[in-house]
Amino acid sequence: MRSSASPSVLKAALWDMDGTIVDTEPYWIEAEYALVSAHGGQWSHEQALQLVGQSLVFSAGVLQEAGVQMPRRDIIDTLTAQVIGRVRDTVPWRPGARELLEQLYEADVRCALVTMSEGPLAREIVASLPRPYFEYVVTGDTVSRGKPDPEAYLKAIAFLQNNDPELTADDCIALEDSQPGVAAAVASGAVTVAIPHITALAEDSRHAIWDTLEGRSVADLEQLVERRRKFPAAPFPVEAAEPGSNSVD
């Protein structure tokens, strides 16, 4: 564990789940295809990509437009049940995610899960992890506005502030894979790292972009937080620093 004499500049890591910790997006897409087909509609990969990172309420509305003749709540429950079934068979971990979670745990850096999936799926994933990494979990069914709105991230930050009133968004780093998720994290004020997966993300100086979490360390996250602290108005470099780098430009 980290010594109390050397506290990290990074106070909390805020994690997206689908596509960032686990590669469940293909499970969601498979479930969407099956549901639309069962109702005689047509679904395409392009349509599926538009739902990546969105709230389930929004996604259910799009599926209704594609021909699914079910209430939104029933659509959400049907998709979630199918994804949970696949997860119980195989949890598809994303490269480097569990290793970075373990490093954060050992360094006493608090973690929160911020996902648009609902509680049942989030609990399955959390239960599959070897330690209680997440101090707090925000799910899509606990917020009124899903990503790209920052409500979920702001809710997580507010919870963390209960035990640390001096904590601010600048002390937190958010890890996201989708455009709606990145937009929500940036809008919350958290230092944001985009790790594109299913969908490409446009270069944006408001956040860092890493190709993968594999090989990344707490030191890499601290570097970004320190950069925000020293140069609050400075844009993030378009190209990510090499894993393990501790320098601050």
Side-chain angles (χ1 to χ4, degrees):
M1 294 293 183
R2 181 187 296 273
S3 167
S4 59
S6 57
S8 175
V9 295
L10 170 65
K11 290 192 173 185
L14 313 175
W15 288 78
D16 171 56
M17 188 177 75
D18 297 286
T20 302
I21 297 176
V22 286
D23 189 11
T24 45
E25 296 296 359
Y27 292 175
W28 287 106
I29 292 172
E30 178 184 272
E32 292 158 12
Y33 268 105
L35 188 58
V36 173
S37 177
H39 286 259
Q42 298 293 322
W43 195 240
S44 69
H45 189 63
E46 290 71 25
Q47 287 173 299
L49 293 183
Q50 293 175 8
L51 303 190
V52 173
Q54 297 282 1
S55 75
L56 286 173
V57 173
F58 173 88
S59 299
V62 174
L63 289 165
Q64 285 177 329
E65 293 173 0
V68 178
Q69 299 175 10
M70 296 169 60
R72 290 193 185 193
R73 181 68 258 167
D74 291 348
I75 292 174
I76 292 170
D77 291 344
T78 300
L79 295 177
T80 299
Q82 183 165 334
V83 174
I84 288 175
R86 294 296 307 275
V87 164
R88 285 176 175 168
D89 180 55
T90 303
V91 180
W93 303 107
R94 293 286 294 141
R98 285 179 295 176
E99 292 81 1
L100 185 53
L101 277 167
E102 178 66 19
Q103 286 189 44
L104 289 163
Y105 183 85
E106 291 294 332
D108 289 329
V109 176
R110 304 164 74 191
C111 287
L113 188 66
V114 184
T115 176
M116 289 297 93
S117 288
E118 295 192 345
L121 177 57
R123 287 191 290 272
E124 288 285 337
I125 300 302
V126 170
S128 300
L129 292 164
R131 298 183 190 263
Y133 295 126
F134 296 108
E135 182 177 332
Y136 187 56
V137 175
V138 181
T139 56
D141 50 340
T142 64
V143 295
S144 58
R145 298 178 301 279
K147 301 172 185 178
D149 190 277
E151 180 186 349
Y153 277 104
L154 294 173
K155 184 173 182 177
I157 293 169
F159 174 86
L160 295 169
Q161 287 172 331
N162 288 334
N163 292 330
D164 183 1
E166 295 183 357
L167 178 144
T168 70
D170 287 336
D171 303 318
C172 303
I173 199 154
L175 302 167
E176 274 282 358
D177 74 299
S178 69
Q179 189 57 53
V182 169
V186 168
S188 76
V191 180
T192 303
V193 180
I195 312 102
H197 178 37
I198 294 293
T199 59
L201 297 176
E203 295 175 352
D204 191 323
S205 61
R206 295 175 299 169
H207 61 75
I209 297 181
W210 291 352
D211 290 337
T212 179
L213 289 178
E214 191 167 15
R216 292 292 178 177
S217 67
V218 174
D220 293 313
L221 301 179
E222 290 174 329
Q223 176 186 346
L224 296 177
V225 173
E226 185 68 23
R227 181 185 180 87
R228 165 73 68 83
R229 181 173 294 184
K230 290 186 175 182
F231 313 109
F236 284 102
V238 171
E239 294 186 0
E242 289 298 317
S245 171
N246 273 316
S247 64
V248 178
D249 297 337

